[in-house]
Amino acid sequence: MRLYLGVSGAITMLEPADFRRLDILVDPQINGRLEGAIARIGRREGEGHVWLHPQILRFLSGHAGEAEWEAGFAGMLAYAAKAGFTNDEGLVRAHMAWVEDRELVSTDDFKAAMRALPAGIAAITTMDGDGPAALIVSSLTSISAEPPMIGFFVNESSSMAAKLLGVQKFVANVLGHEHQGLVQTVLSQPQGKARFADGIWADGHAAMPVLQDAVAAMECDIVHNWRLGTHRLFVGLIRSAKSRTGANPLVNFGAGIRRLQLEEQA
Ligand SMILES: Cc1cc2nc3c(=O)[nH]c(=O)nc-3n(C[C@H](O)[C@H](O)[C@H](O)COP(=O)(O)O)c2cc1C
């Protein structure tokens, strides 16, 4: 099995059922975050090794509790103990291997490619002790129908990231033609009540602002978040949803906010 400390910030396991080897693959682009990643899985020894907690390996494998996998894993730990790769604390030693430097696309080329992707626009809203908060996103996406989940990505530097981590709730308000002014207000005003000067807002079930004439509005509890590069993914379990038919949505495309006009259906 191989632990992978990736440039995205994620720690994952590759080849969880290969018990003949144990090592840690490290992305060279992980830069200043390597020590933090190692602290999450164990303790560094010198330049090239890490003492790992077996429980973390079991968790990341996704197979803990499966009899066949558990037998293989126990066999690997027994082999490691015999070979002197375990210590008195029950930790197991693994070698770090560095992924060859991979060429990555430039930020400009990445942005150009993403500008070619049409994406709906939503106002994410929440409420904390400082009052209401809003953020315009084009990253809202469907995740799962059962249980019903949606997600979106927030820049870690945005004022919304810490608020969402604090209150663990949000409303995703999908926007239409009539909300162009609202988008400009949210984008241009400082975080807080000023961002709600445009639009008809009312409190939803969890006292968060819901846009009354939204194309769709979904009130959610945050059930998962994950830092990935510059952004954090927030996943919401949808507690209530309303939508209206016949609405004309706003779409982010080609570095601009466009109005998608629905054609009459034949
Ligand atoms: C069309 C459009 C889509 C956007 N999508 C996102 C997004 O998905 N995630 C994000 O973090 N910011 C997104 N932004 C940027 C934020 O709306 C904006 O920069 C934000 O106000 C900055 O953070 P602040 O709340 O701290 O002022 C988008 C902006 C526009 C105009």
Side-chain angles (χ1 to χ4, degrees), residues 109-177:
D109 287 351
F110 161 75
K111 285 184 177 170
M114 293 315 295
R115 281 198 287 269
L117 175 71
I121 297 180
I124 303 295
T125 57
T126 194
M127 173 72 90
D128 67 8
D130 296 331
L135 179 77
I136 298 297
V137 303
S138 56
S139 54
L140 182 68
T141 188
S142 164
I143 292 182
S144 155
E146 288 178 25
M149 294 192 289
I150 53 173
F152 57 92
F153 293 87
V154 178
N155 195 310
E156 281 277 276
S157 67
S158 156
S159 55
M160 199 66 163
K163 288 179 181 292
L164 292 168
L165 285 172
V167 292
Q168 296 284 309
K169 283 181 197 309
F170 67 88
V171 184
N173 304 276
V174 180
L175 303 179
H177 286 196

Side-chain angles (χ1 to χ4, degrees), residues 7 30 65 79 106 215:
V7 63
I30 196 163
Y79 165 78
S106 71
V215 175

Side-chain angles (χ1 to χ4, degrees), residues 17-155:
D18 180 353
F19 300 109
R20 289 164 308 168
R21 72 162 172 202
L22 173 66
D23 64 4
I24 304 168
L25 263 183
V26 183
D27 260 337
Q29 296 93 354
I30 196 163
N31 294 331
R33 287 193 274 140
L34 179 59
E35 292 309 318
I38 290 176
R40 290 168 66 190
I41 55 172
R43 197 171 63 233
R44 188 166 188 164
E45 188 195 70
E47 275 306 297
H49 292 89
V50 175
W51 287 103
L52 294 167
H53 295 283
Q55 283 294 14
I56 286 174
L57 297 175
R58 295 181 75 245
F59 175 74
L60 289 173
S61 75
H63 295 288
E66 293 172 15
E68 197 181 327
W69 186 88
E70 290 286 359
F73 186 59
M76 187 186 83
L77 291 181
Y79 165 78
K82 227 164 102 187
F85 299 148
T86 54
N87 68 8
D88 295 347
E89 298 167 71
L91 306 185
V92 57
R93 205 175 75 151
H95 168 76
M96 280 196 283
W98 296 81
V99 179
E100 269 178 46
D101 215 348
R102 275 178 306 205
E103 198 172 314
L104 297 180
V105 71
S106 71
T107 306
D108 285 349
D109 287 351
F110 161 75
K111 285 184 177 170
M114 293 315 295
R115 281 198 287 269
L117 175 71
I121 297 180
I124 303 295
T125 57
T126 194
M127 173 72 90
D128 67 8
D130 296 331
L135 179 77
I136 298 297
V137 303
S138 56
S139 54
L140 182 68
T141 188
S142 164
I143 292 182
S144 155
E146 288 178 25
M149 294 192 289
I150 53 173
F152 57 92
F153 293 87
V154 178
N155 195 310

Side-chain angles (χ1 to χ4, degrees), residues 180-197:
Q180 269 188 305
L182 183 156
V183 170
Q184 294 314 320
T185 302
V186 175
L187 288 173
S188 62
Q189 293 301 311
Q191 187 57 274
K193 217 171 159 212
R195 289 191 177 177
F196 295 83

